[in-house]
Amino acid sequence: QVQLVESGGGLVQPGGSLKLSCVVSTSISNIDYVGWYRQAPGKSRECVAHISSEGNTNYVTAVKGRFTVSRDVARNTVFLQMNYLRPEDTAVYSCIAVTGRVYWGQGTQVTVSS
C-alpha cells in the first residue's frame, strides 16, 4: 500500500505562484510514475504533469512553460511548482503514484482569483 499526502494548495491571485508537495510513503525511485492530476468543477479530471522513475517529465499543453514537476528522492517527495497561475487553473490537485496499481492522494484545493 502506497500513501500520498499533498500540501501547498491555497488561494492566489492571477499571475501568482504556488508550490505543491506530495510526500510518498515509499521510495519514489521504485515507482513507475508520480504525477499530478487536477479536476475543476464540472470538468473531467486531467493529468497535469508527471515524472518517471528515471526523472523524465511530461506536461499537458495548457501548463507547459508555467508548471514544473520535480522530485527529491531522498525525501520521497514530488513537487509541482506553478507559476503565472490563471483562473482556469483553479481545481483540486491530486497526487498519483503508478506502480502496477494506482494510488491517489486526498487532493488539495488551488484557487486562482482576484
Side-chain angles (χ1 to χ4, degrees), residues 6 20 22 35-39 45 92-96 104-108:
E6 304 101 329
L20 306 183
C22 174
W36 293 92
Y37 273 71
R38 67 184 179 185
Q39 186 166 23
R45 188 163 54 190
V92 175
Y93 285 71
S94 299
C95 185
I96 179 174
W104 290 88
Q106 80 285 357
T108 185

Side-chain angles (χ1 to χ4, degrees), residues 23-70:
V23 179
V24 185
S25 63
T26 189
S27 173
I28 59 176
S29 295
N30 298 325
I31 296 178
D32 297 330
Y33 292 95
V34 180
W36 293 92
Y37 273 71
R38 67 184 179 185
Q39 186 166 23
K43 294 188 177 181
S44 301
R45 188 163 54 190
E46 68 172 347
C47 182
V48 175
H50 66 256
I51 185 165
S52 72
S53 56
E54 293 83 15
N56 299 317
T57 59
N58 203 358
Y59 302 89
V60 69
T61 299
V63 307
K64 283 183 179 179
R66 300 189 298 123
F67 291 12
T68 303
V69 60
S70 63

Side-chain angles (χ1 to χ4, degrees), residues 8-10 12 18 20 82 85 89-93 108-112:
V12 64
L18 281 175
L20 306 183
M82 305 184 294
L85 283 161
D89 295 318
T90 295
V92 175
Y93 285 71
T108 185
Q109 177 70 45
V110 172
T111 302
V112 185

Side-chain angles (χ1 to χ4, degrees), residues 1-17:
Q1 188 78 8
V2 177
Q3 296 178 330
L4 304 97
V5 179
E6 304 101 329
S7 61
L11 173 65
V12 64
Q13 292 186 343
S17 298

